[in-house]
PDB file of all heavy atoms in Angstrom:
ATOM      1  N   ASN A  16      10.441  -9.804  -0.264  1.00 97.00           N
ATOM      2  CA  ASN A  16      10.588  -9.159   1.037  1.00 97.00           C
ATOM      3  C   ASN A  16       9.250  -8.690   1.622  1.00 97.00           C
ATOM      4  O   ASN A  16       9.188  -8.305   2.793  1.00 97.00           O
ATOM      5  CB  ASN A  16      11.523  -7.950   0.933  1.00 97.00           C
ATOM      6  CG  ASN A  16      12.932  -8.356   0.566  1.00 97.00           C
ATOM      7  OD1 ASN A  16      13.466  -9.326   1.086  1.00 97.00           O
ATOM      8  ND2 ASN A  16      13.540  -7.609  -0.348  1.00 97.00           N
ATOM      9  N   GLY A  17       8.224  -8.684   0.782  1.00 98.00           N
ATOM     10  CA  GLY A  17       6.930  -8.165   1.215  1.00 98.00           C
ATOM     11  C   GLY A  17       6.663  -6.759   0.725  1.00 98.00           C
ATOM     12  O   GLY A  17       5.674  -6.138   1.125  1.00 98.00           O
ATOM     13  N   ALA A  18       7.522  -6.251  -0.150  1.00 98.00           N
ATOM     14  CA  ALA A  18       7.393  -4.873  -0.647  1.00 98.00           C
ATOM     15  C   ALA A  18       6.613  -4.822  -1.952  1.00 98.00           C
ATOM     16  O   ALA A  18       6.591  -5.782  -2.726  1.00 98.00           O
ATOM     17  CB  ALA A  18       8.775  -4.264  -0.861  1.00 98.00           C
ATOM     18  N   PHE A  19       5.974  -3.666  -2.189  1.00 97.00           N
ATOM     19  CA  PHE A  19       5.351  -3.393  -3.476  1.00 97.00           C
ATOM     20  C   PHE A  19       6.382  -2.671  -4.340  1.00 97.00           C
ATOM     21  O   PHE A  19       6.708  -1.501  -4.065  1.00 97.00           O
ATOM     22  CB  PHE A  19       4.114  -2.509  -3.307  1.00 97.00           C
ATOM     23  CG  PHE A  19       2.972  -3.166  -2.583  1.00 97.00           C
ATOM     24  CD1 PHE A  19       2.724  -2.882  -1.251  1.00 97.00           C
ATOM     25  CD2 PHE A  19       2.151  -4.077  -3.240  1.00 97.00           C
ATOM     26  CE1 PHE A  19       1.670  -3.484  -0.577  1.00 97.00           C
ATOM     27  CE2 PHE A  19       1.098  -4.692  -2.578  1.00 97.00           C
ATOM     28  CZ  PHE A  19       0.859  -4.396  -1.243  1.00 97.00           C
ATOM     29  N   PRO A  20       6.938  -3.311  -5.369  1.00 95.00           N
ATOM     30  CA  PRO A  20       8.031  -2.706  -6.138  1.00 95.00           C
ATOM     31  C   PRO A  20       7.711  -1.331  -6.715  1.00 95.00           C
ATOM     32  O   PRO A  20       8.576  -0.443  -6.725  1.00 95.00           O
ATOM     33  CB  PRO A  20       8.285  -3.732  -7.244  1.00 95.00           C
ATOM     34  CG  PRO A  20       7.863  -5.029  -6.639  1.00 95.00           C
ATOM     35  CD  PRO A  20       6.670  -4.691  -5.790  1.00 95.00           C
ATOM     36  N   ARG A  21       6.489  -1.118  -7.186  1.00 93.00           N
ATOM     37  CA  ARG A  21       6.161   0.182  -7.768  1.00 93.00           C
ATOM     38  C   ARG A  21       6.167   1.285  -6.715  1.00 93.00           C
ATOM     39  O   ARG A  21       6.476   2.435  -7.016  1.00 93.00           O
ATOM     40  CB  ARG A  21       4.796   0.126  -8.465  1.00 93.00           C
ATOM     41  CG  ARG A  21       4.762  -0.794  -9.673  1.00 93.00           C
ATOM     42  CD  ARG A  21       3.356  -0.920 -10.219  1.00 93.00           C
ATOM     43  NE  ARG A  21       3.240  -2.006 -11.165  1.00 93.00           N
ATOM     44  CZ  ARG A  21       3.084  -1.855 -12.477  1.00 93.00           C
ATOM     45  NH1 ARG A  21       3.054  -0.651 -13.007  1.00 93.00           N
ATOM     46  NH2 ARG A  21       2.975  -2.907 -13.272  1.00 93.00           N
ATOM     47  N   GLU A  22       5.815   0.936  -5.499  1.00 96.00           N
ATOM     48  CA  GLU A  22       5.845   1.932  -4.421  1.00 96.00           C
ATOM     49  C   GLU A  22       7.281   2.153  -3.930  1.00 96.00           C
ATOM     50  O   GLU A  22       7.618   3.233  -3.452  1.00 96.00           O
ATOM     51  CB  GLU A  22       4.949   1.494  -3.270  1.00 96.00           C
ATOM     52  CG  GLU A  22       3.535   1.080  -3.659  1.00 96.00           C
ATOM     53  CD  GLU A  22       2.775   2.114  -4.476  1.00 96.00           C
ATOM     54  OE1 GLU A  22       3.110   3.300  -4.415  1.00 96.00           O
ATOM     55  OE2 GLU A  22       1.822   1.709  -5.180  1.00 96.00           O
ATOM     56  N   MET A  23       8.100   1.133  -4.067  1.00 96.00           N
ATOM     57  CA  MET A  23       9.508   1.273  -3.670  1.00 96.00           C
ATOM     58  C   MET A  23      10.256   2.231  -4.590  1.00 96.00           C
ATOM     59  O   MET A  23      11.362   2.694  -4.259  1.00 96.00           O
ATOM     60  CB  MET A  23      10.198  -0.092  -3.680  1.00 96.00           C
ATOM     61  CG  MET A  23       9.708  -1.060  -2.612  1.00 96.00           C
ATOM     62  SD  MET A  23       9.987  -0.482  -0.906  1.00 96.00           S
ATOM     63  CE  MET A  23       8.345   0.132  -0.475  1.00 96.00           C
ATOM     64  N   ALA A  24       9.684   2.555  -5.734  1.00 95.00           N
ATOM     65  CA  ALA A  24      10.319   3.490  -6.671  1.00 95.00           C
ATOM     66  C   ALA A  24      10.065   4.945  -6.291  1.00 95.00           C
ATOM     67  O   ALA A  24      10.413   5.853  -7.058  1.00 95.00           O
ATOM     68  CB  ALA A  24       9.805   3.225  -8.081  1.00 95.00           C
ATOM     69  N   ARG A  25       9.501   5.181  -5.102  1.00 94.00           N
ATOM     70  CA  ARG A  25       9.131   6.537  -4.687  1.00 94.00           C
ATOM     71  C   ARG A  25      10.245   7.256  -3.924  1.00 94.00           C
ATOM     72  O   ARG A  25       9.984   8.197  -3.179  1.00 94.00           O
ATOM     73  CB  ARG A  25       7.874   6.480  -3.818  1.00 94.00           C
ATOM     74  CG  ARG A  25       6.654   5.930  -4.541  1.00 94.00           C
ATOM     75  CD  ARG A  25       6.126   6.890  -5.589  1.00 94.00           C
ATOM     76  NE  ARG A  25       4.850   6.462  -6.129  1.00 94.00           N
ATOM     77  CZ  ARG A  25       3.855   7.266  -6.420  1.00 94.00           C
ATOM     78  NH1 ARG A  25       3.982   8.564  -6.248  1.00 94.00           N
ATOM     79  NH2 ARG A  25       2.725   6.795  -6.908  1.00 94.00           N
ATOM     80  N   HIS A  26      11.465   6.789  -4.094  1.00 96.00           N
ATOM     81  CA  HIS A  26      12.646   7.438  -3.529  1.00 96.00           C
ATOM     82  C   HIS A  26      12.525   7.604  -2.011  1.00 96.00           C
ATOM     83  O   HIS A  26      12.350   6.607  -1.314  1.00 96.00           O
ATOM     84  CB  HIS A  26      12.889   8.785  -4.234  1.00 96.00           C
ATOM     85  CG  HIS A  26      13.000   8.633  -5.722  1.00 96.00           C
ATOM     86  ND1 HIS A  26      14.116   8.086  -6.327  1.00 96.00           N
ATOM     87  CD2 HIS A  26      12.122   8.923  -6.725  1.00 96.00           C
ATOM     88  CE1 HIS A  26      13.925   8.056  -7.641  1.00 96.00           C
ATOM     89  NE2 HIS A  26      12.733   8.557  -7.912  1.00 96.00           N
ATOM     90  N   GLU A  27      12.610   8.834  -1.514  1.00 96.00           N
ATOM     91  CA  GLU A  27      12.595   9.053  -0.059  1.00 96.00           C
ATOM     92  C   GLU A  27      11.235   8.759   0.568  1.00 96.00           C
ATOM     93  O   GLU A  27      11.103   8.694   1.782  1.00 96.00           O
ATOM     94  CB  GLU A  27      13.029  10.486   0.280  1.00 96.00           C
ATOM     95  CG  GLU A  27      12.016  11.577  -0.051  1.00 96.00           C
ATOM     96  CD  GLU A  27      12.074  12.015  -1.507  1.00 96.00           C
ATOM     97  OE1 GLU A  27      12.881  11.438  -2.266  1.00 96.00           O
ATOM     98  OE2 GLU A  27      11.305  12.925  -1.869  1.00 96.00           O
ATOM     99  N   ARG A  28      10.215   8.539  -0.270  1.00 96.00           N
ATOM    100  CA  ARG A  28       8.867   8.258   0.238  1.00 96.00           C
ATOM    101  C   ARG A  28       8.493   6.788   0.066  1.00 96.00           C
ATOM    102  O   ARG A  28       7.318   6.420   0.205  1.00 96.00           O
ATOM    103  CB  ARG A  28       7.849   9.126  -0.499  1.00 96.00           C
ATOM    104  CG  ARG A  28       8.095  10.614  -0.387  1.00 96.00           C
ATOM    105  CD  ARG A  28       7.708  11.154   0.961  1.00 96.00           C
ATOM    106  NE  ARG A  28       6.267  11.278   1.109  1.00 96.00           N
ATOM    107  CZ  ARG A  28       5.666  11.550   2.259  1.00 96.00           C
ATOM    108  NH1 ARG A  28       6.381  11.678   3.361  1.00 96.00           N
ATOM    109  NH2 ARG A  28       4.345  11.666   2.316  1.00 96.00           N
ATOM    110  N   ALA A  29       9.451   5.938  -0.194  1.00 97.00           N
ATOM    111  CA  ALA A  29       9.158   4.539  -0.501  1.00 97.00           C
ATOM    112  C   ALA A  29       8.385   3.839   0.616  1.00 97.00           C
ATOM    113  O   ALA A  29       7.347   3.211   0.374  1.00 97.00           O
ATOM    114  CB  ALA A  29      10.455   3.786  -0.801  1.00 97.00           C
ATOM    115  N   ILE A  30       8.855   3.944   1.844  1.00 97.00           N
ATOM    116  CA  ILE A  30       8.177   3.244   2.939  1.00 97.00           C
ATOM    117  C   ILE A  30       6.802   3.863   3.208  1.00 97.00           C
ATOM    118  O   ILE A  30       5.845   3.167   3.559  1.00 97.00           O
ATOM    119  CB  ILE A  30       9.045   3.225   4.227  1.00 97.00           C
ATOM    120  CG1 ILE A  30       8.465   2.259   5.271  1.00 97.00           C
ATOM    121  CG2 ILE A  30       9.216   4.616   4.810  1.00 97.00           C
ATOM    122  CD1 ILE A  30       8.429   0.821   4.824  1.00 97.00           C
ATOM    123  N   HIS A  31       6.698   5.180   2.998  1.00 96.00           N
ATOM    124  CA  HIS A  31       5.403   5.834   3.153  1.00 96.00           C
ATOM    125  C   HIS A  31       4.406   5.286   2.130  1.00 96.00           C
ATOM    126  O   HIS A  31       3.240   5.039   2.450  1.00 96.00           O
ATOM    127  CB  HIS A  31       5.557   7.343   2.981  1.00 96.00           C
ATOM    128  CG  HIS A  31       4.272   8.098   3.004  1.00 96.00           C
ATOM    129  ND1 HIS A  31       3.640   8.462   4.174  1.00 96.00           N
ATOM    130  CD2 HIS A  31       3.477   8.542   1.992  1.00 96.00           C
ATOM    131  CE1 HIS A  31       2.518   9.096   3.892  1.00 96.00           C
ATOM    132  NE2 HIS A  31       2.395   9.165   2.568  1.00 96.00           N
ATOM    133  N   TYR A  32       4.864   5.072   0.896  1.00 97.00           N
ATOM    134  CA  TYR A  32       3.958   4.579  -0.141  1.00 97.00           C
ATOM    135  C   TYR A  32       3.642   3.098   0.022  1.00 97.00           C
ATOM    136  O   TYR A  32       2.615   2.630  -0.492  1.00 97.00           O
ATOM    137  CB  TYR A  32       4.515   4.898  -1.530  1.00 97.00           C
ATOM    138  CG  TYR A  32       4.087   6.274  -1.984  1.00 97.00           C
ATOM    139  CD1 TYR A  32       4.865   7.398  -1.708  1.00 97.00           C
ATOM    140  CD2 TYR A  32       2.876   6.453  -2.643  1.00 97.00           C
ATOM    141  CE1 TYR A  32       4.447   8.658  -2.097  1.00 97.00           C
ATOM    142  CE2 TYR A  32       2.455   7.714  -3.038  1.00 97.00           C
ATOM    143  CZ  TYR A  32       3.254   8.817  -2.760  1.00 97.00           C
ATOM    144  OH  TYR A  32       2.835  10.069  -3.134  1.00 97.00           O
ATOM    145  N   GLN A  33       4.495   2.371   0.711  1.00 97.00           N
ATOM    146  CA  GLN A  33       4.121   1.002   1.083  1.00 97.00           C
ATOM    147  C   GLN A  33       2.863   1.051   1.963  1.00 97.00           C
ATOM    148  O   GLN A  33       1.915   0.293   1.760  1.00 97.00           O
ATOM    149  CB  GLN A  33       5.265   0.327   1.846  1.00 97.00           C
ATOM    150  CG  GLN A  33       4.959  -1.065   2.384  1.00 97.00           C
ATOM    151  CD  GLN A  33       5.106  -2.171   1.372  1.00 97.00           C
ATOM    152  OE1 GLN A  33       5.534  -1.938   0.241  1.00 97.00           O
ATOM    153  NE2 GLN A  33       4.783  -3.385   1.749  1.00 97.00           N
ATOM    154  N   ALA A  34       2.867   1.969   2.912  1.00 97.00           N
ATOM    155  CA  ALA A  34       1.693   2.150   3.781  1.00 97.00           C
ATOM    156  C   ALA A  34       0.492   2.633   2.978  1.00 97.00           C
ATOM    157  O   ALA A  34      -0.645   2.191   3.205  1.00 97.00           O
ATOM    158  CB  ALA A  34       2.018   3.146   4.893  1.00 97.00           C
ATOM    159  N   PHE A  35       0.739   3.523   2.014  1.00 96.00           N
ATOM    160  CA  PHE A  35      -0.349   4.089   1.228  1.00 96.00           C
ATOM    161  C   PHE A  35      -1.014   3.020   0.359  1.00 96.00           C
ATOM    162  O   PHE A  35      -2.231   3.026   0.169  1.00 96.00           O
ATOM    163  CB  PHE A  35       0.186   5.229   0.368  1.00 96.00           C
ATOM    164  CG  PHE A  35      -0.848   6.229  -0.035  1.00 96.00           C
ATOM    165  CD1 PHE A  35      -1.787   6.711   0.873  1.00 96.00           C
ATOM    166  CD2 PHE A  35      -0.882   6.727  -1.333  1.00 96.00           C
ATOM    167  CE1 PHE A  35      -2.749   7.637   0.497  1.00 96.00           C
ATOM    168  CE2 PHE A  35      -1.828   7.663  -1.721  1.00 96.00           C
ATOM    169  CZ  PHE A  35      -2.766   8.114  -0.801  1.00 96.00           C
ATOM    170  N   ALA A  36      -0.218   2.095  -0.160  1.00 97.00           N
ATOM    171  CA  ALA A  36      -0.782   1.007  -0.958  1.00 97.00           C
ATOM    172  C   ALA A  36      -1.631   0.076  -0.105  1.00 97.00           C
ATOM    173  O   ALA A  36      -2.646  -0.462  -0.560  1.00 97.00           O
ATOM    174  CB  ALA A  36       0.337   0.224  -1.641  1.00 97.00           C
ATOM    175  N   LEU A  37      -1.231  -0.113   1.136  1.00 98.00           N
ATOM    176  CA  LEU A  37      -1.975  -0.996   2.028  1.00 98.00           C
ATOM    177  C   LEU A  37      -3.276  -0.370   2.514  1.00 98.00           C
ATOM    178  O   LEU A  37      -4.200  -1.086   2.912  1.00 98.00           O
ATOM    179  CB  LEU A  37      -1.106  -1.375   3.230  1.00 98.00           C
ATOM    180  CG  LEU A  37      -0.013  -2.409   2.953  1.00 98.00           C
ATOM    181  CD1 LEU A  37       1.007  -2.434   4.082  1.00 98.00           C
ATOM    182  CD2 LEU A  37      -0.619  -3.787   2.735  1.00 98.00           C
ATOM    183  N   GLN A  38      -3.355   0.955   2.494  1.00 98.00           N
ATOM    184  CA  GLN A  38      -4.548   1.612   3.042  1.00 98.00           C
ATOM    185  C   GLN A  38      -5.840   1.158   2.368  1.00 98.00           C
ATOM    186  O   GLN A  38      -6.826   0.892   3.065  1.00 98.00           O
ATOM    187  CB  GLN A  38      -4.399   3.139   2.966  1.00 98.00           C
ATOM    188  CG  GLN A  38      -5.474   3.869   3.747  1.00 98.00           C
ATOM    189  CD  GLN A  38      -5.236   5.372   3.809  1.00 98.00           C
ATOM    190  OE1 GLN A  38      -6.089   6.161   3.419  1.00 98.00           O
ATOM    191  NE2 GLN A  38      -4.073   5.777   4.279  1.00 98.00           N
ATOM    192  N   PRO A  39      -5.907   1.020   1.051  1.00 98.00           N
ATOM    193  CA  PRO A  39      -7.138   0.494   0.457  1.00 98.00           C
ATOM    194  C   PRO A  39      -7.221  -1.025   0.449  1.00 98.00           C
ATOM    195  O   PRO A  39      -8.323  -1.593   0.427  1.00 98.00           O
ATOM    196  CB  PRO A  39      -7.095   1.034  -0.974  1.00 98.00           C
ATOM    197  CG  PRO A  39      -5.638   1.175  -1.270  1.00 98.00           C
ATOM    198  CD  PRO A  39      -4.994   1.567   0.029  1.00 98.00           C
ATOM    199  N   LEU A  40      -6.073  -1.702   0.451  1.00 98.00           N
ATOM    200  CA  LEU A  40      -6.096  -3.155   0.293  1.00 98.00           C
ATOM    201  C   LEU A  40      -6.636  -3.884   1.522  1.00 98.00           C
ATOM    202  O   LEU A  40      -7.347  -4.891   1.394  1.00 98.00           O
ATOM    203  CB  LEU A  40      -4.692  -3.667  -0.046  1.00 98.00           C
ATOM    204  CG  LEU A  40      -4.165  -3.257  -1.429  1.00 98.00           C
ATOM    205  CD1 LEU A  40      -2.732  -3.725  -1.603  1.00 98.00           C
ATOM    206  CD2 LEU A  40      -5.055  -3.804  -2.540  1.00 98.00           C
ATOM    207  N   VAL A  41      -6.317  -3.380   2.714  1.00 98.00           N
ATOM    208  CA  VAL A  41      -6.814  -4.053   3.920  1.00 98.00           C
ATOM    209  C   VAL A  41      -8.340  -3.962   4.013  1.00 98.00           C
ATOM    210  O   VAL A  41      -9.003  -4.992   4.188  1.00 98.00           O
ATOM    211  CB  VAL A  41      -6.133  -3.502   5.189  1.00 98.00           C
ATOM    212  CG1 VAL A  41      -6.710  -4.185   6.432  1.00 98.00           C
ATOM    213  CG2 VAL A  41      -4.625  -3.720   5.127  1.00 98.00           C
ATOM    214  N   PRO A  42      -8.943  -2.775   3.904  1.00 97.00           N
ATOM    215  CA  PRO A  42     -10.415  -2.744   3.947  1.00 97.00           C
ATOM    216  C   PRO A  42     -11.059  -3.477   2.784  1.00 97.00           C
ATOM    217  O   PRO A  42     -12.161  -4.019   2.930  1.00 97.00           O
ATOM    218  CB  PRO A  42     -10.757  -1.248   3.945  1.00 97.00           C
ATOM    219  CG  PRO A  42      -9.531  -0.550   3.495  1.00 97.00           C
ATOM    220  CD  PRO A  42      -8.382  -1.408   3.888  1.00 97.00           C
ATOM    221  N   LEU A  43     -10.389  -3.529   1.632  1.00 98.00           N
ATOM    222  CA  LEU A  43     -10.935  -4.286   0.513  1.00 98.00           C
ATOM    223  C   LEU A  43     -11.042  -5.764   0.892  1.00 98.00           C
ATOM    224  O   LEU A  43     -12.077  -6.408   0.669  1.00 98.00           O
ATOM    225  CB  LEU A  43     -10.047  -4.098  -0.724  1.00 98.00           C
ATOM    226  CG  LEU A  43     -10.654  -4.448  -2.084  1.00 98.00           C
ATOM    227  CD1 LEU A  43      -9.908  -3.710  -3.201  1.00 98.00           C
ATOM    228  CD2 LEU A  43     -10.633  -5.935  -2.354  1.00 98.00           C
ATOM    229  N   ALA A  44      -9.965  -6.305   1.483  1.00 98.00           N
ATOM    230  CA  ALA A  44      -9.998  -7.694   1.937  1.00 98.00           C
ATOM    231  C   ALA A  44     -11.067  -7.899   2.999  1.00 98.00           C
ATOM    232  O   ALA A  44     -11.752  -8.938   3.022  1.00 98.00           O
ATOM    233  CB  ALA A  44      -8.626  -8.095   2.481  1.00 98.00           C
ATOM    234  N   GLU A  45     -11.238  -6.921   3.864  1.00 97.00           N
ATOM    235  CA  GLU A  45     -12.244  -7.024   4.927  1.00 97.00           C
ATOM    236  C   GLU A  45     -13.652  -7.034   4.334  1.00 97.00           C
ATOM    237  O   GLU A  45     -14.505  -7.832   4.753  1.00 97.00           O
ATOM    238  CB  GLU A  45     -12.083  -5.863   5.905  1.00 97.00           C
ATOM    239  CG  GLU A  45     -13.041  -5.892   7.076  1.00 97.00           C
ATOM    240  CD  GLU A  45     -12.850  -7.081   7.999  1.00 97.00           C
ATOM    241  OE1 GLU A  45     -11.731  -7.642   8.045  1.00 97.00           O
ATOM    242  OE2 GLU A  45     -13.824  -7.473   8.675  1.00 97.00           O
ATOM    243  N   PHE A  46     -13.916  -6.166   3.365  1.00 97.00           N
ATOM    244  CA  PHE A  46     -15.227  -6.130   2.709  1.00 97.00           C
ATOM    245  C   PHE A  46     -15.584  -7.505   2.142  1.00 97.00           C
ATOM    246  O   PHE A  46     -16.681  -8.025   2.363  1.00 97.00           O
ATOM    247  CB  PHE A  46     -15.227  -5.110   1.569  1.00 97.00           C
ATOM    248  CG  PHE A  46     -15.869  -3.794   1.907  1.00 97.00           C
ATOM    249  CD1 PHE A  46     -15.130  -2.622   1.879  1.00 97.00           C
ATOM    250  CD2 PHE A  46     -17.211  -3.722   2.222  1.00 97.00           C
ATOM    251  CE1 PHE A  46     -15.714  -1.394   2.173  1.00 97.00           C
ATOM    252  CE2 PHE A  46     -17.815  -2.500   2.519  1.00 97.00           C
ATOM    253  CZ  PHE A  46     -17.062  -1.335   2.496  1.00 97.00           C
ATOM    254  N   VAL A  47     -14.649  -8.073   1.391  1.00 98.00           N
ATOM    255  CA  VAL A  47     -14.934  -9.339   0.711  1.00 98.00           C
ATOM    256  C   VAL A  47     -15.063 -10.478   1.711  1.00 98.00           C
ATOM    257  O   VAL A  47     -15.924 -11.349   1.564  1.00 98.00           O
ATOM    258  CB  VAL A  47     -13.842  -9.637  -0.337  1.00 98.00           C
ATOM    259  CG1 VAL A  47     -14.071 -11.000  -0.991  1.00 98.00           C
ATOM    260  CG2 VAL A  47     -13.826  -8.549  -1.407  1.00 98.00           C
ATOM    261  N   THR A  48     -14.233 -10.451   2.748  1.00 97.00           N
ATOM    262  CA  THR A  48     -14.315 -11.495   3.768  1.00 97.00           C
ATOM    263  C   THR A  48     -15.669 -11.455   4.463  1.00 97.00           C
ATOM    264  O   THR A  48     -16.241 -12.503   4.791  1.00 97.00           O
ATOM    265  CB  THR A  48     -13.164 -11.336   4.777  1.00 97.00           C
ATOM    266  OG1 THR A  48     -11.914 -11.452   4.064  1.00 97.00           O
ATOM    267  CG2 THR A  48     -13.213 -12.407   5.857  1.00 97.00           C
ATOM    268  N   ARG A  49     -16.203 -10.252   4.659  1.00 95.00           N
ATOM    269  CA  ARG A  49     -17.534 -10.137   5.275  1.00 95.00           C
ATOM    270  C   ARG A  49     -18.645 -10.633   4.351  1.00 95.00           C
ATOM    271  O   ARG A  49     -19.759 -10.869   4.812  1.00 95.00           O
ATOM    272  CB  ARG A  49     -17.801  -8.690   5.698  1.00 95.00           C
ATOM    273  CG  ARG A  49     -16.915  -8.221   6.844  1.00 95.00           C
ATOM    274  CD  ARG A  49     -17.354  -6.884   7.386  1.00 95.00           C
ATOM    275  NE  ARG A  49     -16.480  -6.424   8.448  1.00 95.00           N
ATOM    276  CZ  ARG A  49     -16.823  -5.525   9.365  1.00 95.00           C
ATOM    277  NH1 ARG A  49     -18.045  -5.003   9.346  1.00 95.00           N
ATOM    278  NH2 ARG A  49     -15.975  -5.143  10.293  1.00 95.00           N
TER     279      ARG A  49
END
């Protein structure tokens, strides 16, 4: 589905932690692409 299973285990904060996992991953991809 596009979800991070470990972040989905955060109960009422699951969707919030999906965003939290993406926060470092996007700039990481940007750094390497540059």
Side-chain angles (χ1 to χ4, degrees):
N16 295 317
F19 293 102
R21 295 174 193 251
E22 310 306 337
M23 292 298 101
R25 298 290 189 141
H26 305 286
E27 72 277 2
R28 302 285 284 170
I30 191 62
H31 175 82
Y32 273 90
Q33 175 82 5
F35 204 44
L37 285 165
Q38 191 173 124
L40 292 175
V41 178
L43 198 157
E45 182 64 25
F46 259 118
V47 176
T48 300
R49 292 189 182 201

